[in-house]
Amino acid sequence: MAEEAMNMTTADIGKVSPFSPLTLGPITLRNRFIKAGANEGMTPDGMPTQALVKHHRDVAAGGVGMTTVAYGAVSPDGRTFRHQFHMSREVLPHLRVLTDAVHAEGAAACLQITHGGSFTMLRPEKGYPRTASSGFNAFGMLQGIFFQLAMTDSDMQRVAEEFARAAVLAREAGFDAVEIHMGHGYLLNQFLSPLSNHRRDEYGGSTQNRSRFPAMVLRRVKDAVGARLAVGCKINQTDAKQGGIDAEQASVTAKILEHDGADILTLSGGHNMHSPWALFGSPMPLEDMKAHARGLARIGPWALGLQQPKDLAFHELYFLEHARQIRQAVRMPLALVGGVKSMAAAQQVIDEGFDSIALARALIHDPDFVNKLASGALTRSGCTSCNRCVMGIYDPNGVRCVFNEPNDPALSKALAAD
């Protein structure tokens, strides 16, 4: 320690390190790196697999403070794809294996809980998907689901309780935190965003009103598990679409969520329907998407190619300008998403006053990325931001970096046969 102190410069004194501990509600993380929730595609029969366990165990062993298991649907009709899992007693033993594996590597485990609303490939048993407003279902049209219905008060009460129940089950499964997904075009974002919320009641109109249902969900979850689990929310600071959420509106929502007890906000952006490229700060893998699409779904990649900016090029911290405005609005812990791929960018996030670095693609490329940053073995990720890993959500083998050969010979053989 004495040698480390001698090597410190005056500028280093008082500087917060990305490797320093972070307290979120009732838990403390060993450092400020969080594996962001990103659909893994490793639940082909609606149950977590050993591949999912390995994915998060490897990231935990690689040095993150917390890893986030993506898209735990709060109910069967909250799924976006048939192969996603939803929270039930049947899934708990499998999730317990995962959380035990993560804890054995010294990291915390978070479960992202969410509901797709009208953003789903699954046709409801009765009627149409429920969302903020009734009308034509642009995403569902690709699946032959042409309409959507506005949620009633009783629908909202039911779904809020489903979120709370999912959080209770997450605690039983050994998770240390839950993240309520309020971004990217899923149900709670469908209420928050003016692009999809056209209601004329107390849940529509102003940003305060559009935040009312998501805030209700947060309060129900906090009441259910807040004493034992950290409860965070993932929000859009921009929908990256004219007429959608911007940083000013997101700041209002952030203040409401801070008041209602969120332990951390993860600041993200982009919309699955209107601007999916904005989630990643770089072009989508259109050719891969076209090869996968079937039937009416083939329209999706074609339409996306028309909308995606032609001059789009990746740069680190692509959400930083929006996030600075939210940082000025609240005092609560904030995690910044946005393509951190270097030690310099990670330190800048902390120096700018944010509390945590949330990242995914650099960890998909190299699960040991954080350890390598800590040791100095790396200063920058080899991830190219090609986004071809995204297609893994449709693949039974799950998300993987296409530039990394799988270690499993059986998996290599299966991939070679594709």
Side-chain angles (χ1 to χ4, degrees):
M1 291 295 293
E3 183 179 348
E4 290 178 6
M6 290 175 63
N7 289 333
M8 290 177 64
T9 67
T10 302
D12 291 327
I13 298 175
K15 177 179 281 191
V16 177
S17 166
F19 300 101
S20 61
L22 174 64
T23 297
L24 302 173
I27 70 172
T28 298
L29 308 184
R30 62 184 175 186
N31 63 45
R32 293 163 184 260
F33 289 93
I34 295 176
K35 164 65 170 65
N39 276 321
E40 302 97 343
M42 297 173 184
T43 55
D45 297 314
M47 287 287 173
T49 60
Q50 285 297 320
L52 185 67
V53 174
K54 182 179 186 304
H55 178 74
H56 288 282
R57 181 180 62 234
D58 288 351
V59 169
V64 299
M66 182 163 69
T67 184
T68 306
V69 178
Y71 212 101
V74 300
S75 63
D77 63 0
R79 296 172 297 163
T80 56
F81 308 115
R82 191 168 304 281
H83 63 262
Q84 286 172 335
F85 74 89
H86 69 274
M87 293 303 289
S88 65
R89 294 225 160 261
E90 289 73 23
V91 82
L92 292 194
H94 304 276
L95 291 175
R96 171 62 77 170
V97 172
L98 187 154
T99 58
D100 285 348
V102 168
H103 292 152
E105 300 294 348
C110 175
L111 177 66
Q112 186 182 82
I113 52 176
T114 192
H115 192 297
S118 61
F119 187 79
T120 179
M121 298 176 70
L122 305 179
R123 187 187 300 274
E125 291 185 9
K126 296 181 180 179
Y128 298 101
R130 301 278 173 161
T131 181
S133 301
S134 296
F136 177 66
N137 184 349
F139 179 76
M141 178 267 295
L142 302 179
Q143 322 303 325
I145 308 170
F146 294 97
F147 300 102
Q148 59 192 32
L149 296 176
M151 293 177 71
T152 64
D153 283 340
S154 61
D155 289 330
M156 284 181 256
Q157 294 292 336
R158 171 180 52 80
V159 171
E161 285 304 312
E162 288 173 349
F163 271 92
R165 178 178 177 272
V168 169
L169 292 175
R171 181 175 64 82
E172 292 185 30
F175 285 94
D176 307 282
V178 290
E179 178 182 78
I180 304 170
H181 203 334
M182 300 183 177
H184 299 172
Y186 298 112
L187 176 63
L188 299 182
N189 176 261
Q190 290 160 24
F191 273 81
L192 287 168
S193 177
L195 296 172
S196 46
N197 187 338
H198 310 296
R199 300 176 73 105
R200 297 180 180 275
D201 61 6
E202 66 269 33
Y203 296 99
S206 68
T207 303
Q208 288 87 347
N209 281 0
R210 286 184 277 112
S211 302
R212 192 182 299 271
F213 176 47
M216 177 202 302
V217 169
L218 169 61
R219 292 193 300 272
R220 294 286 178 86
V221 171
K222 284 287 292 187
D223 288 345
V225 299
R228 299 193 180 186
L229 297 186
V231 178
C233 303
K234 190 172 197 174
I235 66 169
N236 269 17
Q237 49 199 320
T238 174
D239 284 339
K241 170 79 172 180
Q242 186 174 3
I245 293 169
D246 57 24
E248 182 177 353
Q249 295 173 52
S251 295
V252 173
T253 298
K255 290 179 183 178
I256 292 169
L257 299 176
E258 179 179 43
H259 176 269
D260 285 349
D263 294 310
I264 186 171
L265 298 184
T266 299
L267 305 180
S268 187
H271 194 287
N272 288 330
M273 270 295 296
H274 299 287
S275 56
W277 59 84
L279 277 72
F280 307 102
S282 52
M284 299 297 291
L286 293 177
E287 293 307 314
D288 288 20
M289 295 174 73
K290 290 174 183 176
H292 170 81
R294 298 289 184 272
L296 284 174
R298 292 175 179 171
I299 298 172
W302 173 78
L304 178 58
L306 296 179
Q307 300 175 62
Q308 184 168 267
K310 304 304 180 186
D311 59 350
L312 183 63
F314 176 84
H315 63 87
E316 286 187 282
L317 304 180
Y318 48 83
F319 285 134
L320 181 58
E321 289 299 323
H322 300 88
R324 284 172 173 152
Q325 188 168 337
I326 300 171
R327 179 68 287 174
Q328 293 297 313
V330 296
R331 300 181 64 182
M332 65 182 302
L334 299 176
L336 180 61
V337 176
V340 170
K341 295 203 295 186
S342 67
M343 188 63 230
Q347 185 63 61
Q348 183 180 349
V349 169
I350 303 301
D351 291 348
E352 294 256 2
F354 300 95
D355 304 270
S356 177
I357 304 106
L359 65 169
R361 283 169 293 175
L363 296 170
I364 293 171
H365 175 72
D366 183 0
D368 205 36
F369 180 55
V370 173
N371 279 344
K372 290 177 179 177
L373 291 181
S375 69
L378 277 182
T379 59
R380 175 171 292 277
S381 169
C383 172
T384 66
S385 302
C386 71
N387 300 325
R388 292 179 65 193
C389 57
V390 174
M391 299 307 298
I393 66 175
Y394 306 106
D395 187 333
N397 296 309
V399 166
R400 65 186 184 279
C401 178
V402 298
F403 298 108
N404 294 341
E405 288 296 326
N407 295 322
D408 184 345
L411 180 54
S412 298
K413 183 178 180 181
L415 293 174
D418 285 349

